[in-house]
Amino acid sequence: MNDAAPATQPETFYLKDYTPFGFDVDSVELIFRLAPDTTRVLSKIHFTPKPDAADRTFFLHGEQLSLISARIDGAEVTPELTASGLTCDVPDQPFVWEAEVEINPQANTALEGLYMSNGMYCTQCEAEGFRKITYYPDRPDVMSTFSVRIEGDEKVMLSNGNPVDTGGGFAEWHDPWPKPAYLFALVAGDLVNHPDRFTTRSGKEVMLNIWVRPGDEHKCDFGMDALKKSMTWDEEVYGREYDLDVFNIVAVDDFNMGAMENKGLNIFNSSCVLASPETSTDSNFERIEAIIAHEYFHNWTGNRITCRDWFQLCLKEGLTVYRDAQFTADMRSAPVKRIEDTIDLRARQFPEDNGPLAHPVRPESFQEINNFYTATVYEKGAEVIGMLKRLVGDAAYYTAVDLYFDRHDGQACTIEDWIKVFEDSTGHDLQQFKNWYSQAGTPRLHVSETFADGTYTLTFRQSTPPTPGQDHKDPKVIPIAVGLLSAEGAELVPTTVLEMTQAEQSFSFEGLDAQPVPSILRDFSAPVILDRETSAQERAFLLAHDTDPFTRWEAGRELAKASRIAMVKDGASPDAAYLEALKTLVRDDTLDPAFRALVLSPPSESEITQALADQGVTPDPDAIHDAAETFAQTLAQSLSDSLPRLFAATLVDGPYQPDATGAGSRALNGRLLGLLTRIDGGEAAARQYEEADNMTVQNTALACLLKAEKGESQSRAFFEQWQDDRLVMDKWFALQVATARPERAPTVAAELTKHRLFTIKNPNRFRAVMGALSMNHAGFHQADGSGYRLLADQLIALDALNPQTTARMCTAFQTWKRYDDARQALMLAELERIKSTSGLSRDTNEMVSRILDA
């Protein structure tokens, strides 16, 4: 199905225009009579007019529905139908609306509403999918209890809430907790469950199930363990218990997102729940653990308290992302988690904030809400929560959150409601802090310093560049975590949080014997760009001595960027002092292996591109790639005498365990193998591939061999071994493109789109190929435009099937203005070609239009 936009300009929705729905929905009863092409949905909805409603128009959303009949209080009615819903005259008193519609799940390739995934019925209703199931006020502030009956031949039939009854050809479910329609879920098909139980701290026993296709049962243990850890953690840290008799998770192959928090029935992309040592990497295990936690935590921050309208999306997502980050930090390594989150934020959100797709954490308008499931809403939204906690303190934060749960349980809320509980419980005036929600863009924090008479003064000046629709930016409240070190590396002033509230502000530290070395923005205390003139010597000092893991890593990162930039701009050799610092760190067995692996991970080519653009230099993707290769080769050669020993020392003995300790050692081992492959011709990687007993080691070895153009036979063997495992095949497809030489990457990707196992209809497989191409920086930005053309061809083809995935993949073009005139012209031509496509979806039309407006 294609949600094609009408010929007229798509409608724009504004936060300022919010009006409550004129009716309460007292209860909802649904009957589904399943059939692949002709599912019938019967609805019975009890409405009560709101006596003080400003607008009593009875409008129900509905798209791509065939209306069979409609009744009010048992009498037939003939509503007025449009492409977006229906209107009807209704009584000025409580009434019962009944409707029967027919839908076609088999034809629903957009994967929104009720659709088929390899013979299994599945739903995805966030944000506006329920209107493709039946006529309903499909908005998050309309909450009601749901009773559902499913009729069909399927072995398993699931919906929200608790099971009520089951028998030959039917199953009934009731959810006692009021919810908006976007949290509705239904799954039916040939499934088997991996069961367990959990006892809450108040003694309530909860049945747990992970439902999978036959043959996947052995991949559920880790997901179940992660679920139980999440339930325990939420009780211990936030005091939140689960509130139904059963909690179901279903693994689905065709799914646009990672997972969905539907009340009591979480639906997961198979890649985000199925795991085994043989088929999943360490990063897969950590991601699965985090996503399961995220969706479970939504039970309170998203379900029990939801968002009033979609402009408040960050209310549930930012808070829940922050909570899952806390969880992962507690389960694994807090410093490593913080560094990884920062890398991800800078790679995904900072470019968004500094380009044509920039928008506030809480947008003011949208045409298609699906386009605002962004890094700004999720990751930056989580950073805002972290700053708030840092400003008020841990104890005050949890007191305020408890008040939030007590005051707003069962409600659809706004950012104002969230801020108000903090003001009421802490006494803080947080109106200026709200600028983080209303202003787009990444603030730049300029720093200068003075030292005189034992007083050291740091002066900060904040500025945020203009973004689309926002030229002027008021000062934000910025928590700046600072520590001071002596020339010998001793901590003179431990971490202190400075609260910046003005455009320019100074902070002084007295009683010092000598000028200290500052450690600024510890733990990445705010999502800003730090602009401070400093020397390579000072960065090397911080890399060696700083007590804060983040700023220590950051010092190394800045040294690496400076060296790479000099190589690109001036043809310089890799910085010798930085190479020596890296050699010292990698040999330091007292350091966390995961931290050492992160220090050894170079800045991405996209990161160097952004740094050059910030300096007013037009990036050359080929030169940036060449510099990266030269640096890696030089580092490998400088470590050549110790690489074999270091590599051997980081091999993990014993059975595979997906824990932080083993994952950290394997991450460091993988970094070292990549360097070792550069000097031994792939001997160690080939040996490791043959001896691998888990996917992390096997996948890493194959990647090293392919990168060195030595892995043709291993790649064939990998394919033969895993061709029947769809998730492992996603890895294989992605590796072919990610490791290809830049000049070959578009050709490799194009050939893979013709592979017998490639399907454009599966989002995971599409992202494996085209996502890998967009991230092969020099490959995507080939001077002949072949990367741009291929992606545009694929997006045009996909838009007719799956607008949501298409629109999100368009972000590969969002930085088009960074590059030289020739590349800009090539990208502009492809963007215009996409936009001129007949019947282009609302999703993709809005995204491309915003990118073109840069």
Side-chain angles (χ1 to χ4, degrees), residues 525-555:
S525 58
V528 300
I529 295 172
L530 190 63
D531 188 356
R532 175 174 174 262
E533 289 292 332
T534 187
S535 65
Q537 291 76 15
E538 182 177 314
R539 289 171 180 159
F541 172 85
L542 291 171
L543 178 59
H545 299 290
D546 205 335
T547 57
D548 180 74
F550 170 78
T551 45
R552 188 176 189 183
W553 168 83
E554 179 82 317

Side-chain angles (χ1 to χ4, degrees), residues 77-98:
V77 294
T78 305
E80 181 180 344
L81 301 179
T82 69
S84 60
L86 63 77
T87 55
C88 191
D89 293 331
V90 297
D92 191 19
Q93 61 188 26
F95 63 93
V96 177
W97 163 269
E98 295 177 89

Side-chain angles (χ1 to χ4, degrees), residues 589-632:
D589 293 336
T590 66
L591 292 175
D592 179 0
F595 178 79
R596 290 154 70 193
L598 282 171
V599 173
L600 273 178
S601 303
S604 69
E605 293 177 28
S606 293
E607 192 173 347
I608 300 302
T609 298
Q610 180 62 59
L612 287 165
D614 288 344
Q615 296 180 14
V617 177
T618 300
D620 180 343
D622 296 323
I624 292 168
H625 176 74
D626 290 344
E629 288 295 300
T630 299
F631 187 90

Side-chain angles (χ1 to χ4, degrees), residues 81-398:
L81 301 179
T82 69
S84 60
L86 63 77
T87 55
C88 191
D89 293 331
V90 297
D92 191 19
Q93 61 188 26
F95 63 93
V96 177
W97 163 269
E98 295 177 89
E100 181 175 357
V101 302
E102 185 174 282
I103 56 178
N104 186 345
Q106 189 69 59
N108 184 358
T109 60
L111 311 184
E112 295 178 284
L114 179 66
Y115 64 92
M116 304 291 291
S117 173
N118 293 332
M120 179 171 72
Y121 293 89
C122 179
T123 58
Q124 172 54 34
C125 293
E126 187 177 356
E128 297 176 339
F130 192 79
R131 61 191 61 185
K132 298 178 182 178
I133 292 175
T134 193
Y135 288 102
Y136 193 77
D138 187 11
R139 39 188 293 167
D141 59 342
V142 175
M143 303 174 71
S144 184
T145 59
F146 279 66
S147 296
V148 178
R149 178 182 172 93
I150 310 168
E151 299 175 357
D153 298 328
E154 282 61 35
K155 178 180 176 181
V156 174
M157 294 181 281
L158 308 171
S159 193
N160 306 89
N162 297 318
V164 174
D165 195 9
T166 186
F170 80 93
E172 294 180 353
W173 294 80
H174 175 67
D175 186 356
W177 299 100
K179 66 174 179 285
Y182 82 85
L183 291 172
F184 173 80
L186 180 152
V187 173
D190 182 12
L191 298 166
V192 292
N193 69 320
H194 179 88
D196 208 328
R197 293 178 180 272
F198 181 84
T199 303
T200 69
R201 64 179 181 177
S202 65
K204 179 184 178 68
E205 189 171 83
V206 182
M207 283 292 303
L208 309 177
N209 293 293
I210 297 179
W211 295 91
V212 297
R213 295 183 184 278
D216 285 335
E217 301 94 321
H218 66 291
K219 297 182 181 180
C220 298
D221 286 337
F222 182 80
M224 183 61 76
D225 185 58
L227 174 60
K228 293 165 72 174
K229 285 179 179 177
S230 304
M231 297 175 82
T232 300
W233 185 89
D234 210 17
E235 289 185 348
E236 293 176 348
V237 177
Y238 279 86
R240 299 297 106 191
E241 288 191 34
Y242 187 60
D243 52 9
L244 289 168
D245 299 334
V246 61
F247 187 89
N248 286 315
I249 288 175
V250 182
V252 178
D253 293 340
D254 301 292
F255 204 70
N256 283 334
M257 304 190 216
M260 180 59 208
E261 70 267 18
N262 315 298
K263 183 73 177 182
L265 178 57
N266 284 190
I267 299 178
F268 273 66
N269 187 312
S270 297
S271 66
C272 298
V273 67
L274 301 181
S276 71
E278 299 79 18
T279 61
S280 307
T281 64
D282 287 325
S283 59
N284 293 147
F285 277 105
E286 182 173 344
R287 182 168 181 256
I288 286 167
E289 184 178 67
I291 292 177
I292 285 176
H294 179 94
E295 305 308 333
Y296 175 75
F297 297 156
H298 263 314
N299 188 60
W300 277 91
T301 50
N303 297 2
R304 288 282 288 262
I305 304 176
T306 193
C307 42
R308 185 196 71 178
D309 51 71
W310 289 120
F311 297 100
Q312 320 293 331
L313 182 59
C314 60
L315 177 68
K316 74 183 185 78
E317 294 301 346
L319 178 54
T320 306
V321 169
Y322 181 72
R323 280 166 25 89
D324 81 53
Q326 288 182 287
F327 171 78
T328 299
D330 286 350
M331 296 298 108
R332 295 177 179 264
S333 165
V336 169
K337 171 63 175 170
R338 190 66 187 127
I339 293 167
E340 289 175 341
D341 284 350
T342 303
I343 292 172
D344 182 63
L345 188 80
R346 289 172 172 171
R348 297 174 56 238
Q349 198 280 320
F350 276 21
E352 192 170 272
D353 241 355
N354 292 285
L357 301 181
H359 62 86
V361 173
R362 180 172 69 178
E364 296 291 327
S365 66
F366 63 77
Q367 291 178 3
E368 176 52 65
I369 185 56
N370 286 333
N371 289 337
F372 283 89
Y373 283 75
T374 63
T376 298
V377 167
Y378 280 68
E379 278 71 34
K380 188 174 181 178
E383 293 293 325
V384 174
I385 303 296
M387 286 189 290
L388 183 58
K389 183 171 180 283
R390 198 180 297 271
L391 287 168
V392 304
D394 288 358
Y397 168 81
Y398 288 109

Side-chain angles (χ1 to χ4, degrees), residues 753-766:
T753 64
K754 300 180 178 71
H755 193 283
R756 65 180 176 84
L757 293 185
F758 179 82
T759 170
I760 198 172
K761 292 182 179 180
N762 179 263
N764 290 351
R765 191 59 47 87
F766 184 85

